[in-house]
Amino acid sequence: MKTLKHDVAAVARNFSIWGDFKSAEPYGSGHINDTYASVFDQGGTAVRYIHQRINHLIFKQPDRVMENIERVLAHLHGKLKTDGITDIHRRALTLIPARDGKSWFVDPEGNTWRTYIFIEKAATYDVIESPQMAYAAARSFGEFQGLLADLPGERLHETIPGFHDTPSRFNVLEKAIQADSANRAQHARAEIEFALARKSMTGRLIQAFTEGRIPERITHNDTKLNNVMLDNASGQGICVIDLDTVMPGLALYDFGDMARTATRSSVEDERDLTKVLFKDEMFEALVRGYLESAGRFLNRQEIDFLAFSGPLITFEIGIRFLTDYLAGDTYFKTHREGQNLDRCRVQFKMVREMESRRDAMEAMVRRYA
Ligand code: ADP
Ligand code: GN1
Ligand code: MG
């Protein structure tokens, strides 16, 4: 058996899980945290759990991340119960408490861990397969925003300040180009030029927010397609996951990231750019699904920005990949050389695709608004 980077059995012992630990394996394709699925034998039945190490170089205050998640999940569970939903623990994540009663555990090396009930008979997808899938994902993320609109208590912690502040992301890119600390700018000339030519688009949403035209909401902020689980039997979205960045934000950040990840014909780091295409039918399904669930609370300006949020957020993530490539791959996990540059290229190809379809995208929004 392959040895794991962490002693998952030892981690799991610190959570209130019954039965005997059997095995664990790395799970999912996230770029930030370390995720493992474990199997426990509970009286002859194999039961799985998800264990995650929070990347504390990125989430500098993991206990604040967990405070947010606890509040969000308590609220979601309460709402689902009130709505008469009976499979609450498949509809929202459920934290398994640590032995000391907290929702997280800090190991001797200082890593923060949490454990979730494993949601069975459901899956996440790295690449969109059908408009039904896009519809289901968008509907779920919209419902998620709706359910959190009346979260009681204080404003949630900003787990990563300025997470979707596109102009400041752009400044960081400019600095990385100047520093060229890994001596890689020479390999990314076309991408740098592409990025620098689009500075003027970066401030548009923030400006609308500053002028009070679009409101702050509680948003997910990382709504890539593989952060929602779809039910194997019905194909419907059942559970929004990856809640580390749930915090105050703009609804359009969420729609924009859906447009980035659920309209694309390829994987996020595809090297053959001819395979990277924008699928109109997926965008249409996203608009339909999102407006069906979020349309009742979005204001006119937010709706008017839906189409624009696609290229904006795709550009933003593209410049983050480019920045990380130039800085020597210190943020996103990479599994091969040049992967962050490949990821950047895919995002920029998608930006071009969306820019050339601007009118069609606007028309699709108008059709369902
Ligand atoms: P990351 O921050 O690394 O992206 P995620 O929370 O998105 O971590 O988890 C990575 C993957 O693990 C997800 O895409 C999903 O496939 C799977 N996963 C996460 N939580 C659960 C869960 N509670 N039940 C089943 N699978 C899960
Ligand atoms: C990261 O954690 P994961 O893999 O779902 C990143 C997102 C990016 C995404 C790009 C905390 O998401 O912001 O959009 O990669 N998360 C963080 O795929 O930076
Ligand atoms: Mg994820």
mmCIF file of all heavy atoms in Angstrom, residues 44-72:
data_model
loop_
_atom_site.group_PDB
_atom_site.id
_atom_site.type_symbol
_atom_site.label_atom_id
_atom_site.label_comp_id
_atom_site.label_asym_id
_atom_site.label_seq_id
_atom_site.Cartn_x
_atom_site.Cartn_y
_atom_site.Cartn_z
ATOM 1 N N GLY A 44 -19.320 -4.487 11.238
ATOM 2 C CA GLY A 44 -19.456 -5.262 10.000
ATOM 3 C C GLY A 44 -19.857 -4.432 8.798
ATOM 4 O O GLY A 44 -19.900 -4.931 7.676
ATOM 5 N N THR A 45 -20.163 -3.157 9.005
ATOM 6 C CA THR A 45 -20.494 -2.284 7.873
ATOM 7 C C THR A 45 -19.345 -1.299 7.641
ATOM 8 O O THR A 45 -18.837 -0.709 8.605
ATOM 9 C CB THR A 45 -21.779 -1.473 8.173
ATOM 10 O OG1 THR A 45 -22.827 -2.401 8.443
ATOM 11 C CG2 THR A 45 -22.189 -0.599 6.991
ATOM 12 N N ALA A 46 -18.963 -1.163 6.389
ATOM 13 C CA ALA A 46 -17.898 -0.200 6.073
ATOM 14 C C ALA A 46 -18.511 1.197 5.971
ATOM 15 O O ALA A 46 -19.467 1.404 5.221
ATOM 16 C CB ALA A 46 -17.237 -0.582 4.755
ATOM 17 N N VAL A 47 -17.954 2.115 6.753
ATOM 18 C CA VAL A 47 -18.477 3.495 6.745
ATOM 19 C C VAL A 47 -17.307 4.435 6.424
ATOM 20 O O VAL A 47 -16.222 4.299 6.994
ATOM 21 C CB VAL A 47 -19.087 3.864 8.119
ATOM 22 C CG1 VAL A 47 -19.606 5.294 8.125
ATOM 23 C CG2 VAL A 47 -20.217 2.896 8.459
ATOM 24 N N ARG A 48 -17.575 5.367 5.494
ATOM 25 C CA ARG A 48 -16.479 6.264 5.094
ATOM 26 C C ARG A 48 -16.600 7.635 5.764
ATOM 27 O O ARG A 48 -17.689 8.100 6.095
ATOM 28 C CB ARG A 48 -16.505 6.453 3.574
ATOM 29 C CG ARG A 48 -16.136 5.175 2.848
ATOM 30 C CD ARG A 48 -15.664 5.466 1.445
ATOM 31 N NE ARG A 48 -16.787 5.665 0.536
ATOM 32 C CZ ARG A 48 -16.626 5.920 -0.770
ATOM 33 N NH1 ARG A 48 -15.410 6.035 -1.285
ATOM 34 N NH2 ARG A 48 -17.682 6.071 -1.549
ATOM 35 N N TYR A 49 -15.450 8.286 5.903
ATOM 36 C CA TYR A 49 -15.371 9.660 6.402
ATOM 37 C C TYR A 49 -14.416 10.465 5.539
ATOM 38 O O TYR A 49 -13.539 9.900 4.882
ATOM 39 C CB TYR A 49 -14.854 9.681 7.862
ATOM 40 C CG TYR A 49 -15.838 9.067 8.819
ATOM 41 C CD1 TYR A 49 -15.795 7.699 9.096
ATOM 42 C CD2 TYR A 49 -16.830 9.837 9.401
ATOM 43 C CE1 TYR A 49 -16.722 7.118 9.945
ATOM 44 C CE2 TYR A 49 -17.763 9.266 10.254
ATOM 45 C CZ TYR A 49 -17.704 7.913 10.521
ATOM 46 O OH TYR A 49 -18.621 7.345 11.354
ATOM 47 N N ILE A 50 -14.596 11.777 5.569
ATOM 48 C CA ILE A 50 -13.656 12.688 4.906
ATOM 49 C C ILE A 50 -12.856 13.404 5.988
ATOM 50 O O ILE A 50 -13.438 13.967 6.921
ATOM 51 C CB ILE A 50 -14.428 13.721 4.046
ATOM 52 C CG1 ILE A 50 -15.024 13.075 2.798
ATOM 53 C CG2 ILE A 50 -13.545 14.911 3.695
ATOM 54 C CD1 ILE A 50 -14.040 12.812 1.662
ATOM 55 N N HIS A 51 -11.526 13.364 5.864
ATOM 56 C CA HIS A 51 -10.654 14.116 6.777
ATOM 57 C C HIS A 51 -9.897 15.143 5.949
ATOM 58 O O HIS A 51 -9.360 14.809 4.897
ATOM 59 C CB HIS A 51 -9.633 13.199 7.463
ATOM 60 C CG HIS A 51 -10.252 11.979 8.067
ATOM 61 N ND1 HIS A 51 -10.913 11.997 9.269
ATOM 62 C CD2 HIS A 51 -10.345 10.705 7.610
ATOM 63 C CE1 HIS A 51 -11.360 10.787 9.539
ATOM 64 N NE2 HIS A 51 -11.035 9.979 8.540
ATOM 65 N N GLN A 52 -9.841 16.360 6.459
ATOM 66 C CA GLN A 52 -9.129 17.396 5.706
ATOM 67 C C GLN A 52 -8.160 18.151 6.588
ATOM 68 O O GLN A 52 -8.492 18.564 7.697
ATOM 69 C CB GLN A 52 -10.124 18.402 5.115
ATOM 70 C CG GLN A 52 -10.858 17.823 3.917
ATOM 71 C CD GLN A 52 -11.820 18.816 3.305
ATOM 72 O OE1 GLN A 52 -12.496 19.535 4.026
ATOM 73 N NE2 GLN A 52 -11.875 18.845 1.984
ATOM 74 N N ARG A 53 -6.984 18.345 6.037
ATOM 75 C CA ARG A 53 -6.008 19.230 6.673
ATOM 76 C C ARG A 53 -6.176 20.598 6.033
ATOM 77 O O ARG A 53 -6.115 20.737 4.809
ATOM 78 C CB ARG A 53 -4.585 18.739 6.421
ATOM 79 C CG ARG A 53 -3.523 19.567 7.151
ATOM 80 C CD ARG A 53 -2.113 19.172 6.717
ATOM 81 N NE ARG A 53 -1.809 19.685 5.392
ATOM 82 C CZ ARG A 53 -1.242 20.873 5.157
ATOM 83 N NH1 ARG A 53 -0.929 21.673 6.164
ATOM 84 N NH2 ARG A 53 -1.000 21.265 3.921
ATOM 85 N N ILE A 54 -6.428 21.596 6.860
ATOM 86 C CA ILE A 54 -6.579 22.955 6.330
ATOM 87 C C ILE A 54 -5.186 23.514 6.045
ATOM 88 O O ILE A 54 -4.304 23.441 6.901
ATOM 89 C CB ILE A 54 -7.310 23.865 7.347
ATOM 90 C CG1 ILE A 54 -8.692 23.277 7.672
ATOM 91 C CG2 ILE A 54 -7.427 25.285 6.815
ATOM 92 C CD1 ILE A 54 -9.486 24.087 8.681
ATOM 93 N N ASN A 55 -5.004 24.048 4.869
ATOM 94 C CA ASN A 55 -3.704 24.638 4.518
ATOM 95 C C ASN A 55 -3.552 25.972 5.261
ATOM 96 O O ASN A 55 -4.121 26.986 4.870
ATOM 97 C CB ASN A 55 -3.640 24.833 2.995
ATOM 98 C CG ASN A 55 -2.301 25.375 2.549
ATOM 99 O OD1 ASN A 55 -1.618 26.069 3.307
ATOM 100 N ND2 ASN A 55 -1.931 25.052 1.322
ATOM 101 N N HIS A 56 -2.753 25.941 6.342
ATOM 102 C CA HIS A 56 -2.700 27.133 7.190
ATOM 103 C C HIS A 56 -1.733 28.195 6.658
ATOM 104 O O HIS A 56 -1.620 29.273 7.223
ATOM 105 C CB HIS A 56 -2.386 26.770 8.653
ATOM 106 C CG HIS A 56 -1.141 25.963 8.823
ATOM 107 N ND1 HIS A 56 -1.177 24.628 9.091
ATOM 108 C CD2 HIS A 56 0.162 26.283 8.744
ATOM 109 C CE1 HIS A 56 0.060 24.158 9.178
ATOM 110 N NE2 HIS A 56 0.899 25.156 8.960
ATOM 111 N N LEU A 57 -1.020 27.872 5.577
ATOM 112 C CA LEU A 57 -0.214 28.933 4.944
ATOM 113 C C LEU A 57 -1.138 29.852 4.153
ATOM 114 O O LEU A 57 -0.847 31.022 3.924
ATOM 115 C CB LEU A 57 0.835 28.325 4.006
ATOM 116 C CG LEU A 57 1.844 27.411 4.700
ATOM 117 C CD1 LEU A 57 2.803 26.796 3.696
ATOM 118 C CD2 LEU A 57 2.604 28.198 5.775
ATOM 119 N N ILE A 58 -2.285 29.300 3.757
ATOM 120 C CA ILE A 58 -3.254 30.067 2.962
ATOM 121 C C ILE A 58 -4.387 30.582 3.850
ATOM 122 O O ILE A 58 -4.765 31.749 3.774
ATOM 123 C CB ILE A 58 -3.752 29.185 1.799
ATOM 124 C CG1 ILE A 58 -2.604 29.054 0.785
ATOM 125 C CG2 ILE A 58 -5.024 29.742 1.187
ATOM 126 C CD1 ILE A 58 -2.840 28.135 -0.353
ATOM 127 N N PHE A 59 -4.918 29.689 4.694
ATOM 128 C CA PHE A 59 -5.919 30.110 5.678
ATOM 129 C C PHE A 59 -5.159 30.335 6.981
ATOM 130 O O PHE A 59 -4.908 29.383 7.746
ATOM 131 C CB PHE A 59 -6.997 29.039 5.843
ATOM 132 C CG PHE A 59 -7.804 28.842 4.586
ATOM 133 C CD1 PHE A 59 -7.544 27.778 3.727
ATOM 134 C CD2 PHE A 59 -8.809 29.733 4.239
ATOM 135 C CE1 PHE A 59 -8.266 27.606 2.561
ATOM 136 C CE2 PHE A 59 -9.546 29.569 3.065
ATOM 137 C CZ PHE A 59 -9.268 28.508 2.228
ATOM 138 N N LYS A 60 -4.798 31.581 7.230
ATOM 139 C CA LYS A 60 -3.835 31.861 8.315
ATOM 140 C C LYS A 60 -4.436 31.647 9.701
ATOM 141 O O LYS A 60 -3.711 31.466 10.677
ATOM 142 C CB LYS A 60 -3.304 33.290 8.175
ATOM 143 C CG LYS A 60 -2.632 33.525 6.815
ATOM 144 C CD LYS A 60 -1.209 33.984 6.976
ATOM 145 C CE LYS A 60 -0.336 33.784 5.751
ATOM 146 N NZ LYS A 60 -0.825 34.272 4.481
ATOM 147 N N GLN A 61 -5.776 31.701 9.779
ATOM 148 C CA GLN A 61 -6.413 31.464 11.081
ATOM 149 C C GLN A 61 -7.456 30.349 10.935
ATOM 150 O O GLN A 61 -8.660 30.611 10.828
ATOM 151 C CB GLN A 61 -7.059 32.751 11.580
ATOM 152 C CG GLN A 61 -6.012 33.798 11.951
ATOM 153 C CD GLN A 61 -6.639 35.116 12.337
ATOM 154 O OE1 GLN A 61 -7.229 35.800 11.489
ATOM 155 N NE2 GLN A 61 -6.530 35.487 13.593
ATOM 156 N N PRO A 62 -6.977 29.107 10.945
ATOM 157 C CA PRO A 62 -7.890 27.973 10.709
ATOM 158 C C PRO A 62 -9.072 27.926 11.681
ATOM 159 O O PRO A 62 -10.160 27.490 11.319
ATOM 160 C CB PRO A 62 -6.997 26.748 10.886
ATOM 161 C CG PRO A 62 -5.609 27.237 10.671
ATOM 162 C CD PRO A 62 -5.593 28.667 11.129
ATOM 163 N N ASP A 63 -8.857 28.393 12.937
ATOM 164 C CA ASP A 63 -9.978 28.336 13.885
ATOM 165 C C ASP A 63 -11.101 29.279 13.459
ATOM 166 O O ASP A 63 -12.280 28.994 13.668
ATOM 167 C CB ASP A 63 -9.515 28.624 15.315
ATOM 168 C CG ASP A 63 -8.642 29.857 15.414
ATOM 169 O OD1 ASP A 63 -8.086 30.290 14.376
ATOM 170 O OD2 ASP A 63 -8.516 30.401 16.523
ATOM 171 N N ARG A 64 -10.749 30.349 12.784
ATOM 172 C CA ARG A 64 -11.790 31.262 12.267
ATOM 173 C C ARG A 64 -12.526 30.632 11.096
ATOM 174 O O ARG A 64 -13.735 30.824 10.921
ATOM 175 C CB ARG A 64 -11.169 32.574 11.817
ATOM 176 C CG ARG A 64 -10.654 33.362 12.974
ATOM 177 C CD ARG A 64 -10.317 34.756 12.507
ATOM 178 N NE ARG A 64 -10.282 35.607 13.664
ATOM 179 C CZ ARG A 64 -10.514 36.915 13.647
ATOM 180 N NH1 ARG A 64 -10.792 37.516 12.507
ATOM 181 N NH2 ARG A 64 -10.481 37.616 14.735
ATOM 182 N N VAL A 65 -11.800 29.886 10.286
ATOM 183 C CA VAL A 65 -12.440 29.150 9.190
ATOM 184 C C VAL A 65 -13.479 28.201 9.779
ATOM 185 O O VAL A 65 -14.623 28.135 9.331
ATOM 186 C CB VAL A 65 -11.387 28.347 8.375
ATOM 187 C CG1 VAL A 65 -12.051 27.408 7.379
ATOM 188 C CG2 VAL A 65 -10.415 29.280 7.665
ATOM 189 N N MET A 66 -13.064 27.502 10.840
ATOM 190 C CA MET A 66 -13.970 26.524 11.438
ATOM 191 C C MET A 66 -15.152 27.195 12.139
ATOM 192 O O MET A 66 -16.268 26.677 12.108
ATOM 193 C CB MET A 66 -13.202 25.596 12.404
ATOM 194 C CG MET A 66 -12.187 24.696 11.704
ATOM 195 S SD MET A 66 -12.868 23.831 10.263
ATOM 196 C CE MET A 66 -14.103 22.790 11.017
ATOM 197 N N GLU A 67 -14.909 28.344 12.746
ATOM 198 C CA GLU A 67 -16.030 29.077 13.363
ATOM 199 C C GLU A 67 -17.074 29.429 12.309
ATOM 200 O O GLU A 67 -18.276 29.254 12.521
ATOM 201 C CB GLU A 67 -15.509 30.387 13.958
ATOM 202 C CG GLU A 67 -15.238 30.324 15.444
ATOM 203 C CD GLU A 67 -14.591 31.627 15.922
ATOM 204 O OE1 GLU A 67 -15.181 32.716 15.712
ATOM 205 O OE2 GLU A 67 -13.491 31.519 16.470
ATOM 206 N N ASN A 68 -16.614 29.926 11.170
ATOM 207 C CA ASN A 68 -17.547 30.239 10.078
ATOM 208 C C ASN A 68 -18.324 29.002 9.654
ATOM 209 O O ASN A 68 -19.551 29.031 9.527
ATOM 210 C CB ASN A 68 -16.771 30.736 8.837
ATOM 211 C CG ASN A 68 -16.445 32.222 8.883
ATOM 212 O OD1 ASN A 68 -16.721 32.893 9.869
ATOM 213 N ND2 ASN A 68 -15.866 32.720 7.802
ATOM 214 N N ILE A 69 -17.581 27.923 9.438
ATOM 215 C CA ILE A 69 -18.225 26.707 8.911
ATOM 216 C C ILE A 69 -19.250 26.157 9.912
ATOM 217 O O ILE A 69 -20.352 25.773 9.535
ATOM 218 C CB ILE A 69 -17.158 25.652 8.528
ATOM 219 C CG1 ILE A 69 -16.333 26.186 7.338
ATOM 220 C CG2 ILE A 69 -17.796 24.313 8.176
ATOM 221 C CD1 ILE A 69 -15.235 25.256 6.846
ATOM 222 N N GLU A 70 -18.894 26.192 11.199
ATOM 223 C CA GLU A 70 -19.854 25.721 12.215
ATOM 224 C C GLU A 70 -21.150 26.520 12.154
ATOM 225 O O GLU A 70 -22.245 25.961 12.189
ATOM 226 C CB GLU A 70 -19.264 25.894 13.627
ATOM 227 C CG GLU A 70 -18.303 24.828 14.028
ATOM 228 C CD GLU A 70 -17.710 25.126 15.412
ATOM 229 O OE1 GLU A 70 -18.403 25.727 16.260
ATOM 230 O OE2 GLU A 70 -16.551 24.764 15.628
ATOM 231 N N ARG A 71 -21.008 27.837 12.074
ATOM 232 C CA ARG A 71 -22.210 28.689 12.053
ATOM 233 C C ARG A 71 -23.034 28.428 10.795
ATOM 234 O O ARG A 71 -24.266 28.336 10.839
ATOM 235 C CB ARG A 71 -21.804 30.172 12.089
ATOM 236 C CG ARG A 71 -21.380 30.636 13.453
ATOM 237 C CD ARG A 71 -20.955 32.079 13.408
ATOM 238 N NE ARG A 71 -22.016 32.954 12.936
ATOM 239 C CZ ARG A 71 -21.819 34.201 12.505
ATOM 240 N NH1 ARG A 71 -20.598 34.708 12.485
ATOM 241 N NH2 ARG A 71 -22.832 34.937 12.113
ATOM 242 N N VAL A 72 -22.328 28.330 9.671
ATOM 243 C CA VAL A 72 -23.022 28.130 8.395
ATOM 244 C C VAL A 72 -23.761 26.791 8.405
ATOM 245 O O VAL A 72 -24.940 26.703 8.031
ATOM 246 C CB VAL A 72 -21.996 28.212 7.234
ATOM 247 C CG1 VAL A 72 -22.536 27.602 5.961
ATOM 248 C CG2 VAL A 72 -21.568 29.661 7.018
#
